[in-house]
Amino acid sequence: MPKLTIKTDNKTIEVAENAAIIDVCENEETSILFGCRDGACGACMVRVVSNPQNLSPMEDHERDFLETMAALDDERLACQCKVLGDVELEVSE
Ligand code: FES
């Protein structure tokens, strides 16, 4: 099972392959905050510390929003990501 590590919380969670991060975070205490849950508010922005290829590919509306926010190349919206393999995140500042 893939491991989702949230460095901000010093926490590693084993998740089902293809699990949505937002669903995982409903059952686990993490520092990732969610607002709109739809890729439109930026509350859930995270930095991908390692293995960005193990998150589901970015779709256009996420890319457009991150561009609007002037996000860094390694930032994603957690509400839009599924876990495909081991990946490490931290909450964006
Ligand atoms: S919760 Fe609003 S963008 Fe992810």
Side-chain angles (χ1 to χ4, degrees), residues 41-56:
C41 75
C44 66
M45 200 173 319
V46 291
R47 288 190 58 218
V48 186
V49 179
S50 68
N51 298 332
Q53 75 279 6
N54 285 341
L55 290 178
S56 50

Side-chain angles (χ1 to χ4, degrees), residues 22 33-45 65 77-80:
I22 195 165
L33 301 175
F34 294 95
C36 68
R37 309 166 76 94
D38 197 30
C41 75
C44 66
M45 200 173 319
F65 182 82
L77 297 174
C79 70
Q80 302 299 297

Side-chain angles (χ1 to χ4, degrees), residues 53-64:
Q53 75 279 6
N54 285 341
L55 290 178
S56 50
M58 198 181 286
E59 302 211 1
D60 286 349
H61 74 279
E62 182 184 357
R63 184 172 292 109
D64 291 347

Side-chain angles (χ1 to χ4, degrees), residues 4-88:
L4 170 64
T5 298
I6 301 170
K7 292 193 81 168
T8 313
D9 299 322
N10 254 332
K11 189 167 202 168
T12 297
I13 309 161
E14 288 206 342
V15 303
E17 195 169 329
N18 231 15
I21 292 177
I22 195 165
D23 292 339
V24 173
C25 291
E26 278 184 354
N27 300 319
E28 298 277 344
E29 272 232 357
T30 78
S31 300
I32 303 176
L33 301 175
F34 294 95
C36 68
R37 309 166 76 94
D38 197 30
C41 75
C44 66
M45 200 173 319
V46 291
R47 288 190 58 218
V48 186
V49 179
S50 68
N51 298 332
Q53 75 279 6
N54 285 341
L55 290 178
S56 50
M58 198 181 286
E59 302 211 1
D60 286 349
H61 74 279
E62 182 184 357
R63 184 172 292 109
D64 291 347
F65 182 82
L66 288 170
E67 265 179 39
T68 311
M69 297 284 288
L72 303 174
D73 284 350
D74 58 0
E75 288 182 306
R76 295 284 310 261
L77 297 174
C79 70
Q80 302 299 297
C81 295
K82 292 183 176 167
V83 180
L84 309 179
D86 293 359
V87 64
E88 283 189 343

